Amino acid sequence: MSAQDNESGAHADSATSSASAIKWGVIAILALLAVYGWHGKTSAEGELSALQGEVASLRKAVDDAAQVRKSSQDEIDRLKAAETDALRQVEEGKADVSTAMAKVSELDNKVTALGKDNGDLKAKLAAATEDAKAQLSAASDVTNKIKADLDLANKAKADAEAASAALRGEADGLKAQLNALQKDLDAAKSAAQTPAPQPPAGTETPPAAAPATPAP
């Protein structure tokens, strides 16, 4: 029994020593853990502070990014509106171009028609010019003929006036001769009515004067 008790006591001392060693080991570990924990806490606090700074920076970056995103979205909206307006203007431009092309085609048709009309007018003008030239030439011939006839008429008029003047002169001469003959006739009648005195014997009666013959 003593041996057992001693053995039990030895075991108990050994267990006590082991428990004490474990205790101190645990204490040492806890102390180490406390030291490491303090260092870790300090490091963690530093890291937390750094993380908080990074978070603040990230929040600022996120806010800046949000602001940039908002600005970008506004710019995108503006660009979309500008694109829509540009597309509308393009469509309007296409409509204007289509209208302008239609007007150009219409003007081309008018120009073609006017060119044809101009060609017809030129042909008519050329024909009218040739006809006018022919008529002018004929009129010139007629004018020359009329001038010649007028010259002949003027000459005939001058000749007629000269002949008329000559005839008037002859008529005046004939009137003068007729007046003279009338006077002679009147004198002869007066002489015939008055008895002529008897000429003395041995005297011959001179023959009566013959009446003057009018000039032709």
Side-chain angles (χ1 to χ4, degrees):
M1 291 231 4
S2 297
Q4 291 178 351
D5 291 335
N6 289 332
E7 186 175 353
S8 298
H11 285 295
D13 291 336
S14 177
T16 301
S17 297
S18 298
S20 179
I22 290 170
K23 179 182 178 182
W24 285 106
V26 170
I27 291 171
I29 291 170
L30 290 174
L32 288 173
L33 289 174
V35 171
Y36 283 116
W38 182 76
H39 286 293
K41 180 183 178 182
T42 304
S43 299
E45 288 177 350
E47 290 179 0
L48 179 60
S49 178
L51 288 174
Q52 287 177 347
E54 291 180 359
V55 168
S57 298
L58 288 173
R59 284 180 179 175
K60 186 176 183 303
V62 169
D63 293 338
D64 292 340
Q67 185 65 33
V68 171
R69 183 176 179 277
K70 184 177 181 302
S71 299
S72 299
Q73 188 63 41
D74 293 340
E75 182 67 18
I76 289 171
D77 293 338
R78 188 185 67 80
L79 291 174
K80 284 183 178 180
E83 181 182 5
T84 302
D85 187 63
L87 290 174
R88 180 181 59 79
Q89 291 181 0
V90 167
E91 293 299 325
E92 291 177 355
K94 286 181 179 179
D96 292 339
V97 168
S98 178
T99 303
M101 291 299 294
K103 288 184 178 179
V104 168
S105 178
E106 182 181 357
L107 290 175
D108 286 339
N109 293 331
K110 287 183 178 180
V111 167
T112 301
L114 289 175
K116 184 177 180 300
D117 292 340
N118 190 27
D120 294 339
L121 289 174
K122 284 183 178 179
K124 290 180 179 178
L125 180 61
T129 301
E130 293 298 326
D131 186 40
K133 285 181 179 179
Q135 291 182 1
L136 183 61
S137 178
S140 179
D141 294 339
V142 171
T143 301
N144 292 330
K145 185 176 182 302
I146 290 173
K147 284 182 178 179
D149 293 341
L150 184 60
D151 290 338
L152 291 175
N154 289 330
K155 185 177 183 302
K157 180 182 177 182
D159 293 341
E161 288 177 352
S164 177
L167 289 174
R168 279 197 299 269
E170 291 180 0
D172 292 339
L174 289 174
K175 283 182 180 181
Q177 290 179 8
L178 183 60
N179 290 329
L181 288 174
Q182 187 66 40
K183 289 178 180 180
D184 291 339
L185 181 60
D186 292 338
K189 285 180 178 180
S190 297
Q193 292 176 358
T194 303
Q198 292 296 325
T203 305
E204 295 181 357
T205 303
T213 304

